[in-house]
Structures are given as C-alpha cells and as structure tokens.
Amino acid sequence: MSDKQPKRVFFRTVSVVLCSALLLASCQQHNNTQTFHRQFLSLGTLVNIEIAGADPQTAQAASTAVQKLLEDFTNQWRPDGEGELARINAALAAGESITLDADAQVLLTQATALSVKSGGLFNPAIYRLVRLWGFDVEDRADTPPPAAAAIAALVAQAPAMTDLQLEHGVLRSNNPAVQLDFGAYAKGVAVDRAIALLRSHGIRNAIVNAGGDLRAIGEYIGADGARAWRIGIRHPRAAGFLAAVQISGDECVFTSGDYERFFIYEGVRYHHILDPRSGYPATDFASVTVLHTDGATADAAATALLVAGEDQWRAVARALGLTKIMLVTRDGRILCTPAMCARTEFLTDVQPQQVPL
Ligand code: AMP
Ligand code: MG
C-alpha cells in the first residue's frame, strides 16, 4: 500500500509550478526603485507578484495585502474544506436552500453568466464528475478511469448552473446532481481582485501571476527605461516556451492545458478538463491560451475553448467576446486568431496557422 496520501487540490496543483506562462523579465535597479518580487503558495499553485516603479515600502505593503486576499479567497472558494463554497456544496447535496452573502452572489452570478455564454462547456456544476475522475486530488494515481456506466449516470443528470435559482440572496437547486467547482475560473477572479487591490495601494506597474495565469498592468521598468512586460507561454509538450507575448496597459493571459493534471492508464492519457457532454476529458487541444482584459472571463474561456474543440471553438469564442486566442492541437498544430498572431512571437520551428474567428 502506498504511504502517499492523496492531497486535495484547489485550482491547480503546486506540482505545475512550471507554469504555462512565465514571466521573462528579471529584477533590475532603476532610479532608486527596484522591481519588487514576492512569491508564495496560494490558489493551489505558486503565485508570483512583480511590482515595478514603486517604493519598496509601498510594494511590500501592497503585496502583503494581496497575499492575505488570495489566502482568504482560497479558503472561501475551494469546493471542499470549511469555506463558503464547501458550505454551499453541503447544502446542495442535502437538497437544502442556503442564504448567500453578497460576495457569493457575485461569484455565482458571474460563473452562471460565463457558463451560459460558453454553451455550458465551462460548467462549474460538474464537481461530482471531477471527483468521480479523481481530479480533486493532487497526483492522482495511474489507476483505471471510472466505469463508463458511472460516468454516463452523472452525465445523464446533466448538472448545470441554470439548475440553480438565486432569489433574494437564497440559493436552491432544481437538480440534486449539482455540486460546484470554481477551479476553472476562480483564479481569474482572484487575479482581477489582486490587481484591483494593488491599484488601491497606488501601484501602477505590476504582474500577478498564479501558476502561469496572470494579469499585468503598466509596464516593466528596467535600467534602460520602461518597456512592455514580456510573457512566455509554455509549450504543452516540451520544456520551455512555445511563444511570447508583450503586454502593456492592462491585460490577462490565461492558459488551459491537458498537461496540468493528468494520469496515464494503459498508455492512454486522461486529463482534468472534462467535456460535460461526454463526461470524458476533452479530446482536441493540448492547450488553449486566451488574452483578454478580464481575468475571470479569460480563465473560464480558456477552459471552455479547450472543451469546445476544433469544430466549435470559434462559436464559443464569439459568444464570450474573445479575439486573441492561441490553440495547440493534440497533434501539434498551432492555431492563432489574427489578433493573437499579431501579438505573438513564436519560439518554435512549427509555423502557426492563422485562423479567422
Ligand atoms: P482550468 O485549468 O482553468 O482549465 O481548470 C480546470 C479545472 O476546472 C479542473 O481541474 C476541474 O476542477 C475543473 N473543470 C474540469 N472541466 C471543467 C469544465 N468543463 N467546466 C468547468 N470546470 C471544469
Ligand atoms: Mg480556466
């Protein structure tokens, strides 16, 4: 028997610290200001905060506040444990209604809107399916996938965000199969909130990077002056970067990938992003990267597009208002929308195919 206890995970595992996107900038001295760097574990991954062009005390105080925010957020929004989402899941499992505080109402409403726009492909109501597959624990063992009949039984119950009713702050479900997992979008919400908090401390140039998913504002300030932040996008099948994008102003980069959490059984790789229609891992893409102004949308969208596959990603992208998308197919092709191609520096020999939206 293994002495390794499965560890519950939230969002992504710490073992994927080799992020899908990494900050390529380094720390440098400039005009008595230094690029401030803080790193800690939160949101189930390694969080990096970079702050440029601020005095050290301000950067220190702001990043301390962000760390606290993200720790509280993690505790509240993991699907198990003692937080608000676990409390909601317990009530839903018991068939009971539950009164939500204002923050829970905001998150639930936003998640529902994104789910509906994605045609249900981003579906935070499928936590039971995620658990059936064992993707709620870190380092799932390479044991057989769930029985087809068990998967089919959950799919037949068709849990969806639209099964939930929120009236006057009271939530109830029409479908007993609904259990919530915000893992595909909460990191986006958290990064948005972290940037808003940094701004409230007067920070103008920063990156909040949660395991490769990030929001960047302002510019990187080095010894030779200010320039755009340069962000690397991880290769889904090799060490290192597939591409890099420049960000200045305010923008998010989110990637969903089949390499983030998976197990292999009898030579078949089963990954953690599930198609709610089939109950099985999505088949077409190895990774999907979305650039967007809003982190919550970018996060949910990257997941939804990975599920949508080659036939349907365009329709989902249009419904979610996306324009900058890069998709890597499981057979190694790189597709990018014109707006994404224009922004991206490709770092491999594979020529990207520009695809219209
Ligand atoms: P991400 O890395 O943002 O694509 O999120 C993946 C995580 O979201 C998984 O580990 C599951 O916890 C959860 N998940 C899997 N499939 C879906 C889906 N179709 N819709 C929403 N959440 C999902
Ligand atoms: Mg996501």
Side-chain angles (χ1 to χ4, degrees):
M1 202 175 110
S2 163
D3 58 357
K4 199 175 77 176
Q5 289 293 317
K7 200 171 145 203
R8 297 221 169 254
V9 292
F10 176 59
F11 306 152
R12 288 203 190 125
T13 63
V14 176
S15 56
V16 294
V17 161
L18 298 172
C19 324
S20 52
L22 293 173
L23 181 64
L24 300 182
S26 60
C27 297
Q28 290 190 24
Q29 198 84 30
H30 177 68
N31 287 348
N32 292 330
T33 63
Q34 199 172 18
T35 305
F36 177 91
H37 187 212
R38 188 188 193 103
Q39 196 176 66
F40 53 90
L41 292 173
S42 194
L43 304 172
T45 190
L46 189 69
V47 175
N48 276 286
I49 300 176
E50 302 269 339
I51 296 172
D55 68 79
Q57 291 80 5
T58 304
Q60 177 80 37
S63 65
T64 301
V66 167
Q67 182 168 351
K68 169 87 171 62
L69 171 90
L70 296 184
E71 278 163 5
D72 290 348
F73 189 88
T74 303
N75 291 333
Q76 284 303 312
W77 300 111
R78 54 183 305 147
D80 58 356
E82 309 292 319
E84 183 67 6
L85 191 56
R87 195 176 73 90
I88 293 170
N89 278 338
L92 295 177
E96 292 166 359
S97 61
I98 179 170
T99 302
L100 302 188
D101 65 18
D103 196 34
Q105 293 182 46
V106 167
L107 268 146
L108 196 95
T109 304
Q110 188 182 26
T112 302
L114 288 166
S115 183
V116 169
K117 279 188 192 166
S118 78
L121 301 185
F122 161 66
N123 185 352
I126 60 167
Y127 186 47
R128 287 181 63 189
L129 191 63
V130 172
R131 291 183 64 170
L132 180 68
W133 277 93
F135 288 123
D136 57 324
V137 295
E138 193 178 326
D139 297 334
R140 181 201 189 282
D142 290 338
T143 52
I151 295 169
L154 278 185
V155 170
Q157 289 182 282
M161 295 305 282
T162 47
D163 293 327
L164 296 174
Q165 289 177 329
L166 181 62
E167 274 166 26
H168 308 298
V170 177
L171 181 73
R172 53 177 60 81
S173 176
N174 296 325
N175 183 342
V178 171
Q179 285 284 284
L180 299 174
D181 173 3
F182 285 169
Y185 118 108
K187 197 183 285 179
V189 177
V191 165
D192 288 341
R193 292 184 179 185
I195 288 289
L197 187 55
L198 290 179
R199 282 197 163 121
S200 75
H201 282 255
I203 304 293
R204 292 287 161 262
N205 307 287
I207 290 194
V208 177
N209 180 346
D213 293 323
L214 59 90
R215 183 162 182 158
I217 56 170
E219 293 183 307
Y220 172 75
I221 302 170
D224 49 351
R227 59 168 170 77
W229 296 103
R230 186 163 179 255
I231 308 296
I233 299 169
R234 185 185 154 171
H235 197 301
R237 291 290 181 270
F241 299 112
L242 179 73
V245 290
Q246 311 249 1
I247 292 187
S248 57
D250 181 0
E251 206 165 21
C252 303
V253 185
F254 274 74
T255 299
S256 281
D258 68 358
Y259 53 84
E260 297 277 8
R261 200 181 307 158
F262 63 92
F263 65 94
I264 293 174
Y265 184 73
E266 294 184 340
V268 180
R269 175 189 179 106
Y270 297 92
H271 69 89
H272 67 136
I273 301 175
L274 303 173
D275 186 333
R277 300 165 297 189
S278 67
Y280 283 81
T283 53
D284 290 7
F285 296 127
S287 69
V288 175
T289 300
V290 172
L291 262 64
H292 195 69
T293 49
D294 169 63
T297 302
D299 194 356
T303 307
L305 295 179
L306 196 134
V307 174
E310 281 207 69
D311 289 342
Q312 290 171 343
W313 70 267
R314 286 181 186 79
V316 175
R318 283 194 294 264
L320 285 163
L322 314 174
T323 56
K324 301 178 194 84
I325 304 159
M326 181 174 81
L327 315 106
V328 183
T329 63
R330 288 187 100 179
D331 58 14
R333 286 169 293 127
I334 304 172
L335 316 176
C336 62
T337 58
M340 185 73 177
C341 280
R343 289 281 301 280
T344 309
E345 178 191 343
F346 290 94
L347 305 174
T348 66
D349 295 338
V350 179
Q351 280 302 308
Q353 299 168 26
Q354 186 164 309
V355 286
L357 244 185

